[in-house]
């Protein structure tokens, strides 16, 4: 990649200032895209001015737009840069059926994420779905038979403590939604399952995340239709007074574009930094997002409420740091047993 520093020879390496500036731009792009997507989705799902009670439709539209963008960019691959590196996409029913189990988990993940955001505030959203790391450890043990170090388990304990303290403080302030908590826990579980099933399904699409994204979203669009019928969302849309409003569709399209872009900028951040730095950046982004939400919605939070957020963020950072050190130890020590190598993959 011409944008990455060359590995051979200092003369070919990009200047430090240029590399630092490039990393800063990528990190800022990730922060902006991720935070903007959360605020846009909150508006679409729970805005008093919009009054649209159709969260499955909002999720369906975003999946449909993502699939359309994937197909459109793939068709543009023959036109040269910047799309020349993208694989051609075509719908293969056999591959679609093979991806279907992952698609079911994917639907659970995106739907529960949006439903959690609908019922809880943006400020509490990070805490409400903070148990992903804990589910990673549990599922890795029960499904993959991988153990976790004591320090990583202690970090998970801090996250759980922060989660319960946050729930307690939301209840004390009268803003607790048990429905939102339920979907937050379900979202955390589905995110963990999605990571495990993605590894299993990737060989079906020749290891291409691009193809997997396309098939996932196509399958999701098909499966969302009976859900929308069952929940009566077509009737809700028929009676929706802003259905013909261009500004509504503009916001819907913008939310879908940000939903599509988050996968790309996440990959960019990992590419130009590292998986460890990406996790640290995501933790810092969550902190900034919480502060921005409190300021934007003019909320007043107690000291214990802020403590719960710090516990979740601190526990997440500590877990990432511990796993990073363990992975570095595995890479540097060629005599590490295979069982210990598996342990660091949690």
């Amino acid at each position: 990649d011409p944008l990455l520093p060359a590995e051979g020879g200092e003369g070919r390496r990009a200047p430090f200032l240029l590399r630092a500036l490039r990393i800063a731009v990528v990190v800022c792009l990730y922060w902006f895209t991720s935070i903007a997507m959360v605020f846009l989705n909150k508006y679409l799902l729970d805005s008093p001015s919009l009054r649209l009670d159709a969260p499955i439709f909002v999720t369906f539209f975003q999946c449909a737009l993502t699939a359309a963008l994937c197909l459109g960019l793939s068709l543009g691959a023959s036109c040269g840069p910047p799309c020349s590196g993208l694989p051609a996409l075509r719908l293969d029913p056999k591959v679609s059926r093979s991806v279907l189990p992952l698609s079911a988990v994917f639907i659970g993940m995106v739907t529960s994420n949006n439903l959690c955001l609908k019922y809880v505030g943006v400020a509490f959203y990070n805490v409400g779905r903070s148990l992903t790391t804990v589910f990673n450890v549990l599922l890795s043990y029960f499904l993959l038979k991988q153990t976790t170090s004591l320090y990583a388990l202690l970090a998970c304990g801090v996250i759980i403590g922060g989660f319960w303290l946050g729930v307690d403080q939301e209840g004390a302030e009268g803003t607790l939604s048990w429905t939102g908590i339920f979907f937050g826990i379900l979202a955390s579980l589905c995110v963990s399952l999605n990571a495990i099933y993605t590894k299993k399904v990737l060989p079906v699409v020749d290891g291409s995340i691009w193809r997997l994204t396309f098939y996932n979203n196509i399958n999701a669009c098909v499966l969302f239709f009976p859900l929308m019928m069952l929940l009566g969302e077509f009737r809700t849309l028929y009676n929706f007074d802003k259905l013909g409003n261009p500004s509504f569709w503009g916001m819907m399209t913008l939310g879908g574009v940000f939903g599509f872009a988050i996968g790309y900028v996440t990959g960019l951040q990992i590419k130009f930094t590292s998986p460890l730095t990406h996790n640290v950046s995501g933790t810092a982004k969550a902190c900034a997002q919480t502060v921005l939400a409190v300021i934007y919605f003019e909320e007043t939070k107690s000291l214990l409420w802020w403590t719960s957020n710090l516990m979740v963020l601190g526990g997440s950072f500590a877990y990432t740091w511990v796993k990073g050190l363990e992975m570095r130890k595995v890479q540097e020590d060629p005599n590490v047993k295979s069982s210990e190598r598996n342990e660091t993959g949690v």
Side-chain angles (χ1 to χ4, degrees), residues 33 37 60-77 82-83 86-90 209-215 217-218 221 249-264:
T33 305
M37 182 182 68
F60 160 79
F61 182 85
Q62 292 176 349
C63 289
L65 186 58
T66 297
L69 287 171
C70 285
L71 185 60
L73 290 174
S74 175
L75 293 175
C83 301
L86 301 179
L89 295 177
R90 63 182 183 87
I209 293 293
W210 186 258
R211 287 194 178 100
L212 186 61
T213 300
F214 174 71
Y215 278 104
N217 284 277
I218 287 291
C221 289
W249 289 108
M251 294 297 286
M252 287 283 288
T253 303
L254 192 59
V257 170
F258 274 112
F260 170 79
I262 188 63
Y264 179 72

Side-chain angles (χ1 to χ4, degrees), residues 233-275:
E233 291 199 357
F234 287 115
R235 191 185 312 111
T236 301
L237 290 170
Y238 180 79
N239 296 320
F240 183 51
D241 59 350
K242 294 182 177 62
L243 196 61
N245 192 328
S247 63
F248 164 71
W249 289 108
M251 294 297 286
M252 287 283 288
T253 303
L254 192 59
V257 170
F258 274 112
F260 170 79
I262 188 63
Y264 179 72
V265 296
T266 297
L268 271 184
Q269 181 167 249
I270 294 173
K271 175 180 179 180
F272 285 102
T273 58
S274 69

Side-chain angles (χ1 to χ4, degrees), residues 60-250:
F60 160 79
F61 182 85
Q62 292 176 349
C63 289
L65 186 58
T66 297
L69 287 171
C70 285
L71 185 60
L73 290 174
S74 175
L75 293 175
S78 58
C79 301
C83 301
S84 56
L86 301 179
L89 295 177
R90 63 182 183 87
L91 188 59
D92 185 338
K94 183 178 179 181
V95 175
S96 183
R97 286 194 300 270
S98 300
V99 176
L100 198 57
L102 172 63
S103 299
V105 175
F106 173 75
I107 286 175
M109 180 181 71
V110 294
T111 304
S112 53
N113 263 318
N114 278 352
L115 287 172
C116 175
L117 185 58
K118 175 180 173 62
Y119 290 106
V120 304
V122 176
F124 186 69
Y125 178 61
N126 180 59
V127 174
R129 51 186 293 280
S130 61
L131 298 181
T132 299
T133 300
V134 178
F135 281 118
N136 282 343
V137 171
L138 292 174
L139 293 177
S140 295
Y141 179 76
F142 288 110
L143 298 182
L144 306 177
K145 308 304 179 185
Q146 295 176 353
T147 57
T148 306
S149 66
L150 176 61
Y151 290 118
L153 290 176
L154 289 174
C156 290
V158 174
I159 294 173
I160 295 173
F163 172 80
W164 282 116
L165 180 59
V167 170
D168 176 74
Q169 290 304 299
E170 283 286 300
E173 295 182 4
T175 55
L176 178 65
S177 167
W178 283 109
T179 304
I181 296 299
F182 168 77
F183 283 117
I185 295 173
L186 183 61
S188 301
L189 174 61
C190 289
V191 168
S192 299
L193 285 172
N194 186 73
I196 293 174
Y197 275 92
T198 296
K199 291 181 180 180
K200 292 184 177 182
V201 173
L202 267 176
V204 176
V205 290
D206 302 322
S208 172
I209 293 293
W210 186 258
R211 287 194 178 100
L212 186 61
T213 300
F214 174 71
Y215 278 104
N216 248 345
N217 284 277
I218 287 291
N219 286 346
C221 289
V222 174
L223 295 174
F224 273 135
F225 262 93
L227 275 176
M228 288 190 289
M229 291 182 64
L230 185 64
L231 297 174
E233 291 199 357
F234 287 115
R235 191 185 312 111
T236 301
L237 290 170
Y238 180 79
N239 296 320
F240 183 51
D241 59 350
K242 294 182 177 62
L243 196 61
N245 192 328
S247 63
F248 164 71
W249 289 108

